[in-house]
Amino acid sequence: MVILPVFALALAGAFVAFADPLTSFVLRHAPLVTFVLVAGALAYHLYVVADAFAGRMHRVRGRHLIDYAVLALVTLTLIAGYGTMYRQSAPWAALAARMFAPFASRVVETTTSGSVEAPPTWTSNDRLNVLVLGIDTRDSDPATRNTDTMLVISIDPLNKTAAMLSIPRDVYIDRPGTFQGKINGAFSFGGAQLVRKLMNDLLGVPIHAYVLVNFDAFNKIIDGVGGVIVDAKRPVRDENYPTNDFGIERIDILTGPQLMHGDVALKYARSRHDTNDYSRARRQQEVIGALRTRIAQPEALRTLPTLIDSVGTTIETDFDPANVLPLARTGTGIDSSAIASDVLYPCGGDYPHCELTVNADNGFFLIPDRAKVREFAAELFYDPNIRQEGARVEIVNTGGGSAATKDVADRLALRAYGVTTVTTSPTAKSAIVLRNQSKRYTAEQLRLVLGNIPIETGDRGSDDITIRIGSDFKGFATDRG
């Protein structure tokens, strides 16, 4: 009575999770699918109860009154139980349909017309880069679509680390035929897909998914989890903070640790008149970090169902829903001290680094030095020691197969290892051949990544390190159960 429908739902769920077109269909019709599943399970259990009551003679009549009373009680219990289940699951289904609408639409467009380029896939083992866009939309002015917040969150499941990089909204993008203007205007011009493309080109890292959050949703999420604890490093005073009715108000936030509810946290994250975009970006990262810490607490998780209806229309993503659970496991396993954060800064000021040039001839623009921006992004997102050594890495297929060898090369390149060539040689066991002793740190990190395959010493060559992929290669360390 219980195991069969549970097994069927689990099997169907697994199939849906790994079949993108079916996942897309379920997401687009999530409320209807939920109703059909719950109604089907209820009908099945009512049939089982009725069949058991009829017995071998398949007769319902001729029973004692107590039997009918028990039958009625069981029937009402099933109806009440499944009714409660539907009431609890329907809002989640509606949220999934709205939140993952971009993913569902993209799957349809890529499988039917091929007009939309699919973003790079995430295997749940490699580094994940997510573009977060905070958008200012107002009911009184639907045309307002400014992305005042733009940052890339990069998560490394292998080393249990993460990094956040904020991009000032005045960064000027000069890509004739694609987009020319301040990057915060790219969303209203070409949507999230254009912003992803521009950010990928600017930072030189693959953007796997985007998350679009309306400021109203940001406010409600923080209120829904009971507020966040933020340690304000300096006071925030703003005499001209903009309001939703296009007016202004005065805000005054003191220094020190404090509980901020949604309205205060939003003001703390958005205000820029008292300082500048760079300090505002830092404050935004502080609030995001505080929200992550808050959501990880059990008491906050219990309040999430109350947020479903309130934020479903103001937060969306094209992240593959099949990867939600792996991402949750990875995200909760990262300690706050292992999360780095930084901002792209202009040159000429008292900043720890600079990648932008101020141009105030016809307005205020920040012109990016693409080489500096990409180098800094690589240093922030990836192991700085590996970047500093800059080892040239050759991948050689020595019996492991061309597909496995190419997979190793692609995944190491995503982790900022300097893969130069992929070749084939006679059969040999898997090993890391260190040809340049000054690159030993990189070799040791490769050994950990590749599941402790041995390190050998070799003669100097054009490459600093050679990786042999033999038939004994068992895959990346993170791929092993």
Side-chain angles (χ1 to χ4, degrees):
M1 179 175 175
V2 176
I3 294 178
L4 181 60
V6 171
F7 176 76
L9 288 174
L11 185 62
F15 183 74
V16 167
F18 292 99
D20 279 353
L22 190 55
T23 304
S24 173
F25 175 83
V26 170
L27 285 174
R28 284 184 288 115
H29 305 89
L32 177 61
V33 171
T34 300
F35 175 78
V36 171
L37 289 177
V38 174
L42 173 60
Y44 170 79
H45 280 149
L46 289 176
Y47 170 78
V48 170
V49 170
D51 183 67
F53 182 79
R56 295 182 179 180
M57 302 299 294
H58 299 286
R59 291 186 299 105
V60 177
R61 296 181 179 180
R63 296 300 183 94
H64 295 291
L65 183 60
I66 187 65
D67 295 330
Y68 291 109
V70 172
L71 175 62
L73 179 61
V74 172
T75 301
L76 291 175
T77 301
L78 285 173
I79 293 174
Y82 275 103
T84 301
M85 183 185 300
Y86 177 73
R87 286 196 302 273
Q88 294 292 331
S89 58
W92 288 101
L95 172 64
R98 294 190 296 260
M99 182 181 295
F100 292 103
F103 171 82
S105 300
R106 175 173 57 78
V107 170
V108 172
E109 293 172 353
T110 53
T111 54
T112 55
S113 64
S115 59
V116 177
E117 182 181 355
T121 58
W122 182 55
T123 65
S124 77
N125 298 312
D126 293 316
R127 179 175 287 274
L128 172 68
N129 300 317
V130 178
L131 172 64
V132 179
L133 301 172
I135 186 169
D136 181 14
T137 57
R138 305 178 185 182
D139 295 335
S140 58
D141 185 12
T144 303
R145 305 281 284 178
N146 297 323
T147 46
D148 284 348
T149 299
M150 288 168 288
L151 61 90
V152 175
I153 299 178
S154 185
I155 300 173
D156 184 357
L158 179 66
N159 297 308
K160 300 295 184 184
T161 61
M164 293 187 290
L165 177 62
S166 294
I167 293 81
R169 65 179 189 170
D170 293 319
V171 169
Y172 184 79
I173 302 297
D174 186 14
R175 286 288 176 267
T178 302
F179 180 76
Q180 290 179 290
K182 291 184 179 182
I183 196 168
N184 75 321
F187 181 84
S188 60
F189 183 78
Q193 297 298 341
L194 176 60
V195 183
R196 182 215 304 273
K197 183 177 181 180
L198 296 176
M199 203 66 70
N200 191 349
D201 178 69
L202 177 65
L203 301 181
V205 299
I207 304 297
H208 299 91
Y210 74 84
V211 177
L212 183 67
V213 182
N214 183 288
F215 287 135
D216 182 57
F218 177 84
N219 191 331
K220 292 177 180 177
I221 290 172
I222 291 181
D223 280 340
V225 297
V228 294
I229 302 296
V230 178
D231 185 4
K233 304 302 181 184
R234 53 167 296 174
V236 176
R237 296 185 177 89
D238 191 343
E239 301 290 340
N240 299 288
Y241 182 81
T243 58
N244 288 333
D245 58 358
F246 299 96
I248 60 173
E249 66 175 309
R250 180 179 184 274
I251 63 172
D252 189 356
I253 300 174
L254 302 178
T255 59
Q258 53 196 286
L259 175 65
M260 293 186 182
H261 291 286
D263 57 339
V264 177
L266 183 61
K267 293 173 182 177
Y268 181 77
R270 291 196 65 192
S271 174
R272 69 189 185 100
H273 290 282
D274 187 52
T275 51
N276 52 46
D277 263 356
Y278 322 114
S279 61
R280 181 175 73 157
R282 285 287 194 182
R283 283 184 266 117
Q284 291 169 356
Q285 293 173 356
E286 291 174 10
V287 174
I288 290 175
L291 179 59
R292 170 191 171 273
T293 302
R294 188 68 168 177
I295 290 178
Q297 298 174 355
E299 59 271 20
L301 288 175
R302 287 192 292 268
T303 67
L304 287 181
T306 64
L307 298 175
I308 295 174
D309 290 329
S310 62
V311 305
T313 58
T314 48
I315 179 170
E316 62 181 45
T317 178
D318 69 339
F319 188 68
D320 189 340
N323 288 323
V324 169
L325 290 180
L327 176 60
R329 289 195 297 268
T330 299
T332 55
I334 298 176
D335 190 79
S336 297
S337 61
I339 302 177
S341 59
D342 220 313
V343 183
L344 295 180
Y345 288 119
C347 297
D350 187 19
Y351 300 113
H353 53 83
C354 71
E355 299 78 28
L356 311 170
T357 300
V358 176
N359 186 323
D361 293 339
N362 296 301
F364 183 82
F365 302 96
L366 296 172
I367 311 301
D369 185 323
R370 293 179 72 248
K372 283 187 176 182
V373 170
R374 290 189 168 199
E375 181 64 24
F376 180 70
E379 291 177 359
L380 179 65
F381 292 159
Y382 303 100
D383 190 326
N385 293 323
I386 293 176
R387 296 289 303 175
Q388 184 177 6
E389 284 192 352
R392 294 172 55 86
V393 180
E394 176 191 24
I395 314 292
V396 181
N397 174 18
T398 60
S402 58
T405 304
K406 183 179 184 303
D407 180 61
V408 170
D410 292 344
R411 293 172 66 174
L412 289 181
L414 286 175
R415 296 177 180 182
Y417 289 93
V419 177
T420 57
T421 57
V422 180
T423 60
T424 301
S425 291
T427 302
K429 290 186 176 181
S430 301
I432 298 170
V433 182
L434 179 59
R435 304 186 183 279
N436 184 344
Q437 293 298 321
S438 65
K439 315 295 183 181
R440 177 164 289 278
Y441 178 85
T442 300
E444 291 289 347
Q445 295 305 306
L446 285 169
R447 180 180 63 82
L448 295 176
V449 170
L450 298 175
N452 291 317
I453 63 176
I455 296 179
E456 301 176 358
T457 301
D459 298 331
R460 289 295 295 266
S462 58
D463 294 297
D464 301 309
I465 298 173
T466 298
I467 301 176
R468 297 200 305 258
I469 305 298
S471 58
D472 59 330
F473 181 65
K474 298 179 179 179
F476 280 61
T478 52
D479 292 342
R480 303 181 183 181

